Structures are given as C-alpha cells and as structure tokens.
Amino acid sequence: THECGFIHLDGLPADSDVGSRRLRLENLFVPLHLDVDPKEKEKKKERQPVGVVLSKHPRLALLAAPGGGKSTVIKRLAVAYADSARRGQIADNLPERDWLPLFFRCRELRGLTRGSFAQLLEALSEREPVRQHATVFRALVDRALLAGRVLLLVDGLDEISEARDRAPFVCTLRSALQAYPGIAIVVTSREAGFRHVAAHLAPVCTHATLSPFNADDIRLL
C-alpha cells in the first residue's frame, strides 16, 4: 500500500503546494469503466464498471492510450486487495475475493522478461521491505497459488521495449495461468505494444479497453 496507495499530480496543472504532495489514492480515484470486447462480432462493446467486469472475467487484458488510467487502476486493485478496509472506501463494487495481489511493473523487469515464473516470484521476495521476511512470503505465495487466491497485476506490457522479450514474458504468464487455473490476472498495455502478443493471451484473457471519462465522471473528479 505504501507503493500503490498514492497518486502524484505529475503533468497536471496544480499550484506548487498541491503539486508537490502525494495524494491518497482514495481522495482522487474515480471508479473506472471498461469497454469489453463482445464474443459475438455483431455485438457492440458495452461500457461496464471495472468491478462488474472483474467479477465476470477475472482474467483481463486492459488496453488504453498513454495517460488513460492503466497504472491507476492497477494501483487501485493492488491496494484494495492488500487492505480490505480501503477496498470499501471507493464505490467501485470490486468483487469480494480473498485475493493476494502480486504486482509486477514491466519496465522494472529487465532480464527477468525471459525468466521463469519462479524467478519472477523470487525477485518479488527480494524487494524491500519484503526481503527480511522472504521465506515466510514465499510460503504465503505458494499456498495462495495452490488455493487459487492470487491476483497477478502486470502493469505496462508495452514497456518491455523489445518484442523478442515481450513474447517470452507473456508465454511465462500464460504458463502460470495454466499451472494455477484458479488464479486471476489483470495485465495492462498500450494498444501498439499489445498487438504482437495478443494471440498468446487471447485464449486465457478477456480483452477490454478503459473507457474515457463521461460527464458524470468528470463532475465526480
């Protein structure tokens, strides 16, 4: 929650006092909506709340333009499932699941893009402040994986700059989903960086696009 529970106003017009502060996620977050790709080609995309979509489709590939809210929705999910008290502070009706969120920022993976799922988990256990509890953390994660209680949060697939690294990483994610059929995943990407790996994720993830704010969302913000 320390890493994901705040929003910075980078790039937004604000006075120096507000712009220099980290603002609590719940103070600014507006419940987001998704346009979900219909299974039938003749049907149009339908705008639905994130919570509703996640309840129906716990394995999602979310696409959006730069600045469209991809990282913000990942932060919201990470905080909501790490701290159930904060989940209820925003009326986005997220599913009441006992998920353990595991958060991966693709731009920070570097050589791990070609690593195994076990190596990705090992890297998580070596991060501060988890490192001092690494053994307990790994045991907790292993139990959660076997019980189907893990929510994988993968932010910025397109930020793996080389396509030859992106495809192996996606195959690793797909293998993890097959090995642990009960777990959930939300992976975000820009459209352009997703095309090369869409076929790998299509069989295991529902594709959706983050909807732009409508007039009600803007008033709420």
Side-chain angles (χ1 to χ4, degrees):
T1 57
H2 176 75
E3 183 176 352
C4 297
F6 299 90
I7 290 180
H8 296 266
L9 298 181
D10 297 338
L12 294 178
D15 62 50
S16 57
D17 179 54
V18 173
S20 63
R21 284 189 292 148
R22 293 195 313 165
L23 301 178
R24 204 166 187 269
L25 179 71
E26 289 82 7
N27 291 344
L28 279 179
F29 187 83
V30 174
L32 298 174
H33 292 74
L34 305 178
D35 296 317
V36 182
D37 286 344
K39 292 183 178 179
E40 294 81 8
K41 292 184 178 179
E42 63 273 9
K43 287 188 176 181
K44 294 182 178 180
K45 291 183 178 181
E46 182 182 355
R47 189 176 191 266
Q48 302 176 55
V50 168
V52 171
V53 177
L54 195 57
S55 296
K56 296 178 182 177
H57 308 286
R59 294 182 171 185
L60 289 175
L62 301 186
L63 309 182
K70 301 183 296 297
S71 294
T72 304
V73 74
I74 288 286
K75 284 184 173 184
R76 165 59 182 161
L77 294 174
V79 171
Y81 288 103
D83 184 347
S84 59
R86 292 181 71 167
R87 190 186 315 165
Q89 294 176 12
I90 297 173
D92 50 3
N93 297 313
L94 294 178
E96 291 296 326
R97 297 290 300 273
D98 185 24
W99 278 326
L100 173 67
L102 299 180
F103 178 36
F104 299 94
R105 267 200 191 93
C106 289
R107 67 172 180 267
E108 297 175 352
L109 292 176
R110 300 181 179 88
L112 285 172
T113 55
R114 289 176 174 266
S116 66
F117 188 59
Q119 288 172 315
L120 289 170
L121 296 180
E122 185 65 28
L124 274 186
S125 70
E126 289 298 318
R127 296 187 63 180
E128 296 293 349
V130 178
R131 180 182 299 175
Q132 58 185 320
H133 309 292
T135 302
V136 175
F137 173 77
R138 283 304 308 273
L140 174 67
V141 170
D142 288 343
R143 289 196 299 271
L145 286 168
L146 291 172
R149 292 195 305 101
V150 163
L151 172 61
L152 296 178
L153 299 171
V154 183
D155 190 30
L157 187 61
D158 59 285
E159 294 181 11
I160 301 175
S161 57
E162 297 290 339
R164 63 176 180 268
D165 292 330
R166 203 177 306 139
F169 176 66
V170 168
C171 288
T172 296
L173 293 179
R174 181 171 169 173
S175 296
L177 295 177
Q178 292 170 339
Y180 304 103
I183 69 175
I185 186 172
V186 177
V187 54
T188 72
S189 179
R190 298 181 187 182
E191 184 80 47
F194 189 73
R195 295 190 194 105
H196 298 96
V197 295
H200 295 292
L201 281 177
V204 292
C205 286
T206 298
H207 291 185
T209 305
L210 276 166
S211 305
F213 277 9
N214 61 17
D216 290 337
D217 296 331
I218 292 170
R219 279 194 292 271
L220 179 58
L221 177 64

